[in-house]
Amino acid sequence: FIPWKKLYHRYLMKEETALRRVERVLQDFAITKEQEGCVLGLIRCVSTISTGRKVNPSVVLQCLESHHLFSKAEVCVANKLRQLHLQSRTGPKNMWAIIAVMVLFSDGVSDIRKLMACLQRPCSTLSVLDVTEMLYCIATLLYAMRDRNIAITNRIHYNIFYCLYLMENSSVTMQTVEEETLASHCRQDLCSPEIKLTHEQQRILNHEIKHGQIVKIMAFAGTGKTSTLVKYAEKFPDLNFLYVTFNKAVAESGRSVFPRNVTCRTFHSLAFGSVGKHYKEKGKLNFSKMSVYSVSSLLQNSKGQSLFIRGKTVSQTLENFFASSDEEICEEHTPVWFKNTHGQRQLVSPVEKKINVEEAKEIWRNMKKLDGDVEKKYKMTCDGYLKLWQLSKPQLSGYDAIFVDEAQDCTPGE
């Protein structure tokens, strides 16, 4: 009963018997670092999952035809696992192989959830237990492959793990593929007042945030992070919230879905209101990044390296500094590599790093000047005034709490 689920959790706990069992499976299906087609070994392993007598592989595959990854997976199995495909074209092995490839091809949680929804349609003959075991089998093998430094993205394992968690802990039944597709187009997760919350979302809503406290909501794209924030703001109408995001379009969309006690802004709009506007008034604001050509024209030291290549490395030095939490430009901000005039990668020498720092410091010093740059050669960029705002250590008063959207993408400077 549920052998792969048990094996997965026992393997995570490093139980000796589980470690030996997984190692044997990896060897049996040639899923090793030395084996070039080890991912194909994973698919072959999944194809051996036992199924009940009532399961009709042909009917299951028909249920999958509406999924956008089905045709691609079917072609992949036919080409890469030709022998398996020919031996079991209408059998369970071919069915499981195609499903495994669809999971591996998935871009995110939503793709796997749509796959699970297809497999749980009334017309499908697979049980929830069958689907769960298949996902735990793939998760176990992926985790073991990462343990052995086999080059495979960790994203797929986390997507599977999160889908299993949602399925096993969700307070609502899974939507059909048609309903989920419609929801993604209409953004019903934000617009609908009838939204049903999962246990995880309810726990977040039950948490009363305290002064100085940081709460992290860790979830994948499309799993309801924003809708949770909307509900949280609705639950505490007497509190004032600031919703901060990177994208202007997301901030504008937020204004239409968040209640009135939430102010929606981008990081750059906050920095512009405090710092950037002064440079705009002086005609010293460049709304785009400084081009390599413009940086090259500002360089003082013309010895050694080609000016264009040095312009690239100085530009990268400035960008790294803007993204950091540091107060001064230093050698840590300089790039490690550069491409020479022949397109070959070379290490940036210690001497060149010092020149990069000196040049970047000089450009940054002149960019910050509001007056004195008559020709306006040193214009302030958006990332530049964001950096100045960060260095001013701003106090965002008037808000009881701040919602930061996609916080994992924040640079140290933000």
Side-chain angles (χ1 to χ4, degrees), residues 304-306 309-310 312-313 316 334-350 352-353 356:
Q305 190 60 270
S306 133
I309 289 174
R310 184 171 289 160
K312 279 186 178 180
T313 53
Q316 288 171 19
T334 59
V336 178
W337 301 90
F338 74 96
K339 282 190 177 181
N340 61 22
T341 50
H342 301 291
Q344 299 167 329
R345 272 164 52 104
Q346 285 183 229
L347 282 168
V348 179
S349 68
E352 191 63 31
K353 284 192 175 191
N356 270 240

Side-chain angles (χ1 to χ4, degrees), residues 270-281:
L270 291 168
F272 179 83
S274 178
V275 179
K277 64 180 182 180
H278 302 302
Y279 289 91
K280 185 183 180 184
E281 289 166 3

Side-chain angles (χ1 to χ4, degrees), residues 384-399:
Y385 69 68
L386 182 62
K387 180 66 179 179
L388 283 177
W389 184 62
Q390 175 244 316
L391 292 174
S392 71
K393 295 179 171 55
Q395 298 296 316
L396 297 172
S397 57
Y399 303 104

Side-chain angles (χ1 to χ4, degrees), residues 100-293:
V101 173
M102 289 175 72
V103 172
L104 296 175
F105 279 168
S106 62
D107 284 329
V109 172
S110 61
D111 283 348
I112 300 177
R113 293 197 77 193
K114 287 175 186 176
L115 170 62
M116 293 163 72
C118 286
L119 295 174
Q120 290 181 282
R121 282 176 170 174
C123 60
S124 172
T125 51
L126 283 178
S127 67
V128 174
L129 185 62
D130 292 327
V131 177
T132 303
E133 275 293 276
M134 174 271 299
L135 290 174
Y136 270 113
C137 174
I138 299 175
T140 305
L141 297 175
L142 289 172
Y143 197 92
M145 289 168 75
R146 291 285 293 181
D147 273 352
R148 287 154 181 77
N149 295 317
I150 296 173
I152 190 164
T153 176
N154 206 30
R155 174 181 55 81
I156 307 170
H157 170 261
Y158 279 114
N159 288 345
I160 295 169
F161 175 83
Y162 196 80
C163 284
L164 285 166
Y165 185 84
L166 287 176
M167 185 172 73
E168 293 170 352
N169 295 277
S170 178
S171 61
V172 293
T173 55
M174 190 179 297
Q175 291 173 303
T176 63
V177 176
E178 289 82 4
E179 290 170 335
E180 193 169 284
T181 305
L182 183 62
S184 66
H185 288 305
C186 299
R187 300 291 302 276
Q188 287 180 353
D189 62 323
L190 294 178
C191 305
S192 174
E194 301 299 324
I195 184 170
K196 293 181 180 180
L197 302 175
T198 64
H199 296 307
E200 288 177 310
Q201 290 173 309
Q202 197 59 58
R203 268 167 45 205
I204 295 166
L205 260 63
N206 291 339
H207 179 81
E208 191 171 346
I209 196 165
K210 301 290 192 298
H211 179 73
Q213 189 180 49
I214 296 174
V215 176
K216 295 180 182 178
I217 301 175
M218 300 176 70
F220 291 95
T223 54
K225 296 188 296 294
T226 307
S227 58
T228 304
L229 296 181
V230 171
K231 290 294 181 183
Y232 194 91
E234 289 174 349
K235 186 176 179 180
F236 299 97
D238 296 332
L239 299 181
N240 289 318
F241 298 94
L242 173 64
Y243 172 71
V244 191
T245 184
F246 296 93
N247 191 290
K248 185 178 179 181
V250 175
E252 288 176 353
S253 174
R255 292 185 187 104
S256 66
V257 295
F258 278 102
R260 291 183 179 180
N261 58 327
V262 181
T263 302
C264 300
R265 302 284 296 274
T266 64
F267 287 102
H268 281 89
S269 72
L270 291 168
F272 179 83
S274 178
V275 179
K277 64 180 182 180
H278 302 302
Y279 289 91
K280 185 183 180 184
E281 289 166 3
K282 294 286 184 176
K284 272 204 66 175
L285 186 59
N286 179 8
F287 283 101
S288 58
K289 289 185 178 181
M290 292 178 72
S291 66
V292 173
Y293 176 79

